Amino acid sequence: MPDYLDDLRFAHVLADAADATTMARFKALDLKVETKPDMTPVSEADKATEELIRGQLQRARPRDAVLGEEYGVEGTGPRRWVIDPIDGTKNYVRGVPVWATLISLTEAVEGGYEPVVGLVSAPALGRRWWAAKSHGAFTGRSLSSASRLRVSRVSSLTDASFAYSSLTGWEDQGRLGGFLDLTREVWRTRAYGDFWPYMLVAEGAVDICAEPELSLWDMAANAIIVTEAGGAFTGLDGRPGPHSGNAAASNGLLHDELLGYLNERY
């Protein structure tokens, strides 16, 4: 069985380079921002960061395929890196520090690809999280200066903290009724958004989170970090992993109840 630690170390190298690129343009007054066909923003930093990561992957892992948000799929084979150069671009372009570069290595398994390495780097927050299959999840400044991540042991929704991104997606899918019922049941709700709720679940600071519409690059790194921290990561349909087009993450103890509410009136 491969241990993936060399790939994890390389993911840190990629993240170091990405952080330098993204931070150099964060809050820049002349930052160029365009609107993509799906009406979401993309900045010059998104494109430059993905180009940088792809270049390093081509040199160091030429046999591996790459899937990125800005430039699609390149290459074929059983190993595929999945990249979101800036998760939280709307925050990035407005000067809000909650954004991150998401890097994951996935491997082909029956029925699709499975994340085996995941790294989330949020340089404006001074935080980084990572995991490799069967090696646990960690947070810290570097591989040599890290602490282990473990999900919470909260077992009752009335004691749980629930994080989400926005209300509109739930309403668009006809899930708003169940979502609102859940918010009334839990102890606390906060709309942290993007990658951060999943990292807070992995840290044990938040107990459940969910989003109604996502792409693979939004989820692959988050999924393995949450599961290696002892939590559960599925689609709203309950399918494990980051392939359902949406996500629910929890400490595991509350997962069935979380899915029950979000599918309650769907």
Side-chain angles (χ1 to χ4, degrees):
M1 288 287 292
D3 64 15
Y4 303 110
L5 293 181
D6 283 343
D7 294 307
L8 178 60
R9 283 188 283 269
F10 183 53
H12 277 272
V13 173
L14 295 173
D16 290 342
D19 288 354
T21 300
T22 53
M23 287 301 291
R25 299 299 290 155
F26 184 49
K27 295 187 178 182
L29 297 179
D30 61 343
L31 181 72
K32 295 182 177 64
V33 182
E34 303 169 7
T35 300
K36 294 191 287 189
D38 64 0
M39 302 307 293
T40 61
V42 58
S43 75
E44 63 183 81
D46 292 80
K47 294 180 178 180
T49 302
E50 185 167 324
E51 288 168 356
L52 174 73
I53 293 173
R54 284 176 179 270
Q56 293 205 15
L57 285 168
Q58 179 58 42
R59 288 188 292 273
R61 299 287 195 277
R63 296 183 179 180
D64 293 351
V66 184
L67 169 64
E69 178 176 10
E70 306 308 333
Y71 297 107
V73 179
E74 183 178 1
T76 59
R79 288 167 45 101
R80 177 186 290 176
W81 294 85
V82 179
I83 309 299
D84 189 342
I86 300 179
D87 182 53
T89 298
K90 292 178 182 177
N91 283 346
Y92 184 88
V93 302
R94 289 296 302 271
V96 178
V98 183
W99 50 270
T101 296
L102 278 53
I103 300 169
S104 179
L105 172 64
T106 64
E107 280 202 338
V109 295
E110 186 176 351
Y113 284 83
E114 173 193 34
V116 293
V117 169
L119 184 149
V120 173
S121 187
L125 295 176
R127 297 296 309 276
R128 186 177 289 186
W129 304 260
W130 62 88
K133 185 178 180 181
S134 302
H135 286 280
F138 296 85
T139 185
R141 296 284 185 175
S142 66
L143 279 165
S144 60
S145 177
S147 56
R148 186 96 182 231
L149 295 173
R150 291 182 176 85
V151 297
S152 76
R153 301 300 298 167
V154 172
S155 58
S156 170
L157 280 180
T158 56
D159 297 324
S161 180
F162 171 43
Y164 61 96
S165 287
S166 68
L167 295 177
T168 54
W170 301 104
E171 186 172 28
D172 291 344
Q173 290 192 7
R175 299 180 189 265
L176 185 59
F179 174 90
L180 292 175
D181 286 346
L182 176 60
T183 66
R184 297 180 186 110
E185 180 69 17
V186 298
W187 167 64
R188 190 170 190 251
T189 62
R190 284 294 183 271
Y192 297 111
D194 300 305
F195 68 93
W196 208 7
Y198 305 97
M199 299 304 99
L200 292 172
V201 168
E203 291 179 355
V206 164
D207 309 299
I208 55 177
C209 70
E211 289 184 272
E213 187 174 4
L214 294 166
S215 298
L216 179 59
W217 47 77
D218 298 312
M219 297 183 282
N222 296 335
I224 187 169
I225 293 171
V226 168
T227 55
E228 284 292 323
F233 189 106
T234 72
L236 298 177
D237 57 5
R239 182 159 61 116
H243 299 288
S244 297
N246 45 47
S250 75
N251 63 5
L253 301 174
L254 299 170
H255 207 77
D256 288 345
E257 287 183 277
L258 170 63
L259 294 178
Y261 273 95
L262 296 179
N263 291 298
E264 182 180 79
R265 303 180 189 177
Y266 184 60

